[in-house]
Amino acid sequence: MMLAYSTNAFVQFTLVETIERIAAIGYEGLEIMCDRPHLYPPDFDADDLAAVTAALDRTGLKVTNLNGFTLFAVGDTYLPSWIEPDAARREIRIRHTLDCIRIARQIGCENVSIPPGGPLNGMDRNQALALFHKGLEQVIPLAEELKINLLVEPEPDLLIERTSEFLPFIRDVQSPVVGLNFDIGHFYCVGEDPSAAFSELYEWVRHVHLEDIADTRVHRHLIPGHGAIPFEKVIRTMKELGYDGDICVELYPYTDEPEAAGRESLDYLKRLPIEW
């Protein structure tokens, strides 16, 4: 398992600067935010991508995932979403995901994570699921062609929040490239034991997000060790099941101190009595 750090804590820096800073902390990999000010596809031409690739080559960092979740460049954390009533808004999300898949192939990344639908905002759940599947059907062929994993990330207050919602969804998907970005904190927020959830969903997990959450289970990402998640138990479960994918620390609330937060997280995780 490789420890990576998400660039979404580094919004005060360019992507190339962020790559260099994450490498200096001591991480082996990074997840790249596919949104401004980082790798928002419409902003990047061949020269920009070459500069990113050169920085990755210099530092030796592996890109574990392209985070296609947020769309602040044209909306916010969730919107435009896969399930909005307006077809033109849904098309923005579809185009963005297609662009992320193409860039993943160009920079040698195997994974693109996406939001699970979006806020229901009063929409009937079955109607929302139908729209989500319809949107995925428009991006799955390219993901299959380019051999990129398309990873749904359950999140509190969205269409898919918990294990009991992800399982029927994934069983209706007819493609092996669709999997799960397992966010440890998100499952904790919705009242689940992350170890038990990981065991139940293991066959679909292709990438993992890691952050701590307070014992209130309020959805606010904290530095590991600052909350209540039993990380030793969770990571032991992952290892016992044979998970050999990557784990990415995601601390987007720490934009004023991303390096200090990342360094403390790495130190904490390395001190756990676990062989990484």
Side-chain angles (χ1 to χ4, degrees), residues 52-83:
V52 169
T53 301
L56 293 169
D57 290 343
R58 282 196 308 274
T59 59
L61 291 182
K62 172 189 175 182
V63 182
T64 64
N65 180 49
L66 293 189
N67 190 330
F69 204 109
T70 67
L71 263 175
F72 288 104
V74 293
D76 60 25
T77 303
Y78 308 119
L79 304 175
S81 88
W82 298 93
I83 64 171

Side-chain angles (χ1 to χ4, degrees), residues 4 23 25 37 49 62 88 97 112 116 152 156 172 175 181 183 217 228 250 255:
I25 296 170
L49 283 177
K62 172 189 175 182
T97 305
V112 172
V152 177
D172 282 342
S175 174
N181 185 45
D183 189 299
R217 300 190 186 248
E250 191 189 26
T255 56

Side-chain angles (χ1 to χ4, degrees), residues 11-260:
V11 294
Q12 297 183 32
F13 303 95
T14 68
L15 180 53
V16 169
E17 290 171 335
T18 298
I19 292 169
E20 293 166 346
R21 289 170 181 268
I22 289 176
I25 296 170
Y27 286 90
E28 298 176 280
L30 81 165
E31 170 189 86
I32 297 178
M33 179 179 70
C34 286
D35 198 356
R36 289 176 181 157
H38 292 164
L39 214 171
Y40 180 57
D43 293 345
F44 274 68
D45 60 22
D47 289 341
D48 296 319
L49 283 177
V52 169
T53 301
L56 293 169
D57 290 343
R58 282 196 308 274
T59 59
L61 291 182
K62 172 189 175 182
V63 182
T64 64
N65 180 49
L66 293 189
N67 190 330
F69 204 109
T70 67
L71 263 175
F72 288 104
V74 293
D76 60 25
T77 303
Y78 308 119
L79 304 175
S81 88
W82 298 93
I83 64 171
E84 292 190 73
D86 185 345
R89 298 273 293 174
R90 298 196 303 272
E91 182 62 25
I92 293 171
R93 174 59 68 176
I94 290 165
R95 285 201 314 270
H96 178 64
T97 305
L98 290 169
D99 287 344
C100 291
I101 292 168
R102 294 186 186 98
I103 287 180
R105 178 67 173 180
Q106 288 178 273
I107 66 174
C109 176
E110 298 178 352
N111 303 314
V112 172
S113 60
I114 61 172
L120 282 167
N121 291 332
M123 180 179 285
D124 174 78
R125 181 170 184 82
N126 289 330
Q127 179 187 0
L129 280 167
L131 287 175
F132 190 26
H133 280 288
K134 183 179 179 180
L136 289 176
E137 288 167 4
Q138 296 181 65
V139 300
I140 285 172
L142 182 65
E144 291 179 335
E145 177 188 343
L146 299 183
K147 296 180 172 57
I148 303 298
N149 294 316
L150 196 61
L151 306 183
V152 177
E153 181 182 335
E155 172 152 338
D157 300 321
L158 299 188
L159 174 63
I160 299 172
E161 299 181 274
R162 49 182 54 86
T163 301
S164 61
E165 294 167 345
F166 184 82
L167 284 171
F169 158 77
I170 196 66
R171 288 167 179 160
D172 282 342
V173 174
Q174 303 299 313
S175 174
V177 301
V178 179
L180 173 64
N181 185 45
F182 187 96
D183 189 299
I184 294 170
H186 291 178
F187 284 96
Y188 183 79
C189 283
V190 297
E192 296 197 50
D193 173 355
S195 297
F198 192 93
S199 295
E200 195 165 359
L201 299 173
Y202 168 63
E203 67 179 282
W204 295 284
V205 179
R206 302 289 180 270
H207 189 259
V208 171
H209 274 175
L210 183 153
E211 73 280 339
D212 217 339
I213 299 291
D215 59 6
T216 60
R217 300 190 186 248
V218 171
H219 183 203
R220 183 180 187 279
H221 289 208
L222 301 173
I223 294 168
H226 287 209
I229 293 177
F231 285 110
E232 183 179 348
K233 177 186 175 184
V234 178
I235 295 168
R236 283 198 187 282
T237 297
M238 294 164 63
K239 290 178 71 67
E240 288 168 1
L241 288 167
Y243 178 72
D244 60 359
D246 300 315
I247 300 175
C248 179
V249 176
E250 191 189 26
L251 296 176
Y252 56 81
Y254 293 85
T255 56
D256 289 333
E257 48 180 356
E259 287 158 292

Side-chain angles (χ1 to χ4, degrees), residues 261-273:
R263 189 173 295 108
E264 183 178 346
S265 300
L266 187 60
D267 290 345
Y268 172 86
L269 294 169
K270 290 292 188 180
R271 287 197 305 270
L272 292 176

